[in-house]
Amino acid sequence: SQMTGRRCLVVTNLKPAKLGGFKSMGMVLCAGNADHTKVEFVDVPEGAKIGERVFVEGDSGEPVGPSNMKKKKVFEAVAKDLKTSDACVAQWSGKPIMTSAGPCTVPSLGGVFIK
């Protein structure tokens, strides 16, 4: 019910996989505390276009295709540096994850990993 009508950050260039008996075409990113008792969706700001590609402030490049994402374990390498700042801004390697309308954020979990 928390996902109904909600805007969130989704990784979509992954190979489809079975999840709970259903074919999953993407992965919703969430931040969570160390003991996994609190988890929050990574939200995109109001005004961001649905489906727009996010970017890391100061970095550029083309997306990696689904077959290379899995074969070269790209997401696993990138995911280890996904974290929220103390101000609850989603970051990769200390740089904000951005949309055309500003940074992606979480409601209250600062300084935690994103998965």
Side-chain angles (χ1 to χ4, degrees):
S1 67
Q2 291 180 18
M3 291 185 76
T4 303
R6 180 187 200 104
R7 291 172 163 237
C8 57
L9 190 58
V10 180
V11 178
T12 60
N13 57 341
L14 302 173
K15 276 194 144 183
K18 289 270 186 173
L19 182 65
F22 294 94
K23 192 174 192 178
S24 174
M25 302 295 282
M27 180 175 25
V28 176
L29 294 182
C30 295
N33 62 5
D35 59 4
H36 304 290
T37 57
K38 187 169 185 182
V39 176
E40 296 177 345
F41 292 107
V42 176
D43 295 319
V44 296
E46 287 296 320
K49 297 177 187 93
I50 292 174
E52 83 172 74
R53 184 176 165 213
V54 298
F55 60 95
V56 175
E57 190 172 71
D59 285 341
S60 64
E62 292 303 311
V64 176
S67 60
N68 282 332
M69 282 289 282
K70 186 170 186 167
K71 188 185 322 176
K72 296 183 179 182
K73 300 185 182 209
V74 173
F75 185 74
E76 290 83 350
V78 169
K80 66 181 176 59
D81 293 320
L82 288 172
K83 195 173 178 184
T84 61
S85 70
D86 290 340
C88 300
V89 174
Q91 298 181 326
W92 178 73
S93 289
K95 299 175 187 175
I97 298 172
M98 302 291 294
T99 71
S100 61
C104 297
T105 59
V106 296
S108 67
L109 291 173
V112 301
F113 284 98
I114 297 171
K115 295 188 178 191

